[in-house]
Amino acid sequence: MHRPLADEIRPKTLDEVVGQRHLLAPGGVLRRLIDAGTDANMVFYGPSGTGKTTVANIIAEKTHKTLYRLNATTASLQDVKDIIADVGTLLAPGGILLYLDEIQYFNKKQQQSLLEFMENGSLTLIASTTENPFFYVYNALLSRSSVFEFKSVPAEEIRPAVLRALEVMKTRTPLPLTWEPEVPALVAQGCGGDVRKSINAVELLCEAAVPKDGTLLLTEADAKALSQRSAMRYDRGGDAMYDAASALHKSIRGSDPDAALHYLARFLEAGDLITPCRRLLCAASEDVGLAYPQAITIVKSCVDTAMQLGLPEAQLPLAQAAILLATAPKSNSVCTGIMSAWADVKAGRGGDVPRELQNVHADSAGLEREQGYKYPHNYGHHWVRQQYLPDAIKNARYYHYGDNKTEQAAKSYWEKIKGPQ
């Protein structure tokens, strides 16, 4: 049976692991725990191909435990019980380390079932997940584990692993193997921080290489084609999607049109129009708001146009909206105003609607009372002083004018009419 190259050259020591220097460099907290022979339960969180399984293998070797692997997408509670049955036998003389991949696919009951074995020392658990464990892993299990975040590996750190894989493949090919100068960098850059994917790409490149002048030449064109669309991590509904949406919104809020276009392009590459449209519409009110009131109308038109056009043409109106919002003057007065008002409502602060504002049609039920409502259009500047808020919060102030030109103009206008507030 064919053994993937990535598995065959998997690092055997912490010094050979590519990336994760924040955890595994000398003095790193995880490095120190492993060197001390830790029995701690752990949760490894991060993208695929960043060394989670490799580090679990090394921990098992360091602690002289028998390593069992389960994938939560297919495993059951019975599988866990079958593993526990080996405790204390010749199959696991030093104890058991269970590596449970994709733990987020275990439901709450299945995760709870692990607690008994973790607490009585029957097994040491290392669970891995590509999703945020604080959303998907049961709290009681998290409280008994240490969470370590594995990060995408930079291309410059992947490149040595690619060169190592190429050297290994040179010993296996029937003809001498050579490659064009930029091939290692293209593979490292094109695999999106995934070391395993980069090693697999090397293997595929070698298998697809065409003999030329008595050698096998790996071309830059083939490297580009093989890694096309691979550099981007995106999982609809997953952390990568929400991170990109957050980055798009915050780039707009931070008035950085270049960053806004970058994160928008990630969604376009993934074929997701819905998520950026929602973010753009939200930012128009949340972060631009009354500093440029027309922005929401323009953005809505851009979004509607994009949804009618579809990709690839949708890129143009959405880019227009992103640039408009990023370069527009900013105000969060709309956001802070409604949040303050809503907080009072949630807290029960309020009271009866003032009689002057009540629905006059209620009087037809025999509740004939003087309403006393003053119709503003009957007064100069279409305004008259009267109370609109309930008595209990009649002096509340939720909206505060922003410091932008538009809101300051409105403030000046009303101060002349109403006087300073």
Side-chain angles (χ1 to χ4, degrees):
M1 185 174 68
H2 173 69
R3 184 182 181 189
L5 178 63
D7 187 56
E8 188 173 338
I9 66 173
R10 187 186 296 276
K12 300 294 191 298
T13 68
L14 294 177
D15 290 329
E16 295 175 353
V17 176
V18 177
Q20 314 314 323
R21 293 298 89 194
H22 64 295
L23 297 175
L24 301 176
V29 61
L30 182 56
R31 174 70 172 260
R32 284 184 278 125
L33 286 172
I34 295 172
D35 287 342
T38 182
D39 282 329
N41 299 298
M42 304 180 191
V43 175
F44 291 168
Y45 156 49
S48 300
T50 52
K52 299 188 295 294
T53 302
T54 296
V55 173
N57 288 341
I58 294 172
I59 291 175
E61 183 70 23
K62 282 267 189 181
T63 57
H64 306 291
K65 293 181 182 294
T66 302
L67 178 65
Y68 289 81
R69 296 188 185 89
L70 290 178
N71 190 299
T73 59
T74 57
S76 66
L77 180 57
Q78 186 58 48
D79 294 317
V80 176
K81 291 180 178 178
D82 290 343
I83 290 172
I84 297 301
D86 291 342
V87 172
T89 70
L90 293 177
L91 294 175
I96 287 175
L97 190 153
L98 172 61
Y99 180 70
L100 180 59
D101 198 12
E102 304 292 355
I103 189 175
Q104 72 269 20
Y105 290 105
F106 260 17
N107 60 35
K108 185 175 180 179
K109 182 178 180 180
Q110 289 173 308
Q111 291 187 33
Q112 284 178 313
S113 68
L114 297 169
L115 298 178
E116 175 187 352
F117 307 124
M118 294 167 63
E119 290 178 338
N120 64 25
S122 299
L123 62 78
T124 298
L125 175 71
I126 296 182
S128 74
T129 175
T130 56
E131 303 292 347
N132 190 327
F134 298 101
F135 293 161
Y136 293 96
V137 179
Y138 180 53
N139 284 337
L141 193 150
L142 277 180
S143 71
R144 292 162 174 81
S145 308
S146 297
V147 178
F148 296 97
E149 182 179 3
F150 284 60
K151 299 179 180 179
S152 296
V153 184
E156 59 269 20
E157 295 186 31
I158 293 180
R159 192 170 184 275
V162 172
L163 289 170
R164 180 186 173 205
L166 287 168
E167 292 298 328
V168 171
M169 293 304 297
K170 283 177 72 172
T171 66
R172 300 180 178 182
T173 53
L175 295 174
L177 181 67
T178 61
W179 50 85
E180 294 178 346
E182 291 301 313
V183 165
L186 286 170
V187 172
Q189 186 68 47
C191 290
D194 187 326
V195 181
R196 180 173 54 242
K197 186 184 291 186
S198 68
I199 304 302
N200 290 340
V202 168
E203 192 170 19
L204 291 174
L205 271 175
C206 294
E207 291 176 359
V210 177
K212 182 180 180 181
D213 300 328
T215 66
L216 289 176
L217 177 64
L218 307 184
T219 66
E220 295 172 9
D222 284 347
K224 288 180 181 178
L226 196 62
S227 60
Q228 188 177 17
R229 295 176 65 92
S230 294
M232 185 186 66
R233 294 183 182 276
Y234 190 86
D235 179 16
R236 190 184 295 271
D239 280 352
M241 186 197 82
Y242 288 112
D243 287 346
S246 176
L248 171 62
H249 196 145
K250 289 171 181 173
S251 298
I252 290 171
R253 181 181 297 148
S255 301
D256 189 330
D258 300 307
L261 288 174
H262 171 79
Y263 294 113
L264 173 61
R266 291 194 183 193
F267 287 106
L268 298 175
E269 179 69 6
D272 182 355
L273 291 181
I274 300 298
T275 305
C277 285
R278 287 171 57 88
R279 289 295 91 205
L280 291 168
L281 287 167
C282 185
S285 291
E286 182 177 350
D287 299 297
V288 175
L290 295 175
Y292 183 27
Q294 300 91 334
I296 191 168
T297 302
I298 298 171
V299 170
K300 179 61 165 64
S301 296
C302 289
V303 166
D304 289 346
T305 301
M307 297 305 292
Q308 287 184 336
L309 288 174
L311 287 169
E313 292 86 351
Q315 65 183 294
L316 300 175
L318 292 185
Q320 178 181 344
I323 294 170
L324 171 74
L325 293 175
T327 57
K330 301 297 188 294
S331 172
N332 69 337
S333 60
V334 169
C335 181
T336 57
I338 187 59
M339 288 174 64
S340 297
W342 203 343
D344 269 0
V345 172
K346 285 182 177 179
R349 291 187 285 269
D352 293 337
V353 174
R355 170 61 184 158
E356 294 87 345
L357 306 184
Q358 291 177 7
N359 182 9
V360 295
H361 296 293
D363 294 342
S364 62
L367 302 176
E368 302 291 348
R369 292 177 294 166
E370 178 62 31
Q371 186 179 34
Y373 173 64
K374 298 176 183 178
Y375 187 57
H377 296 298
N378 290 338
Y379 298 84
H381 302 292
H382 303 269
W383 180 81
V384 63
R385 191 176 301 279
Q386 64 183 329
Q387 180 182 324
Y388 291 93
L389 281 168
D391 288 340
I393 55 170
K394 65 181 181 180
N395 295 319
R397 291 290 180 268
Y398 301 123
Y399 171 68
H400 299 277
Y401 291 98
D403 57 4
N404 57 83
K405 181 179 179 181
T406 303
E407 289 183 89
Q408 285 299 304
K411 179 182 179 183
S412 177
Y413 173 81
W414 285 112
E415 282 184 347
K416 290 177 181 177
I417 297 171
K418 298 181 180 180
Q421 298 296 300

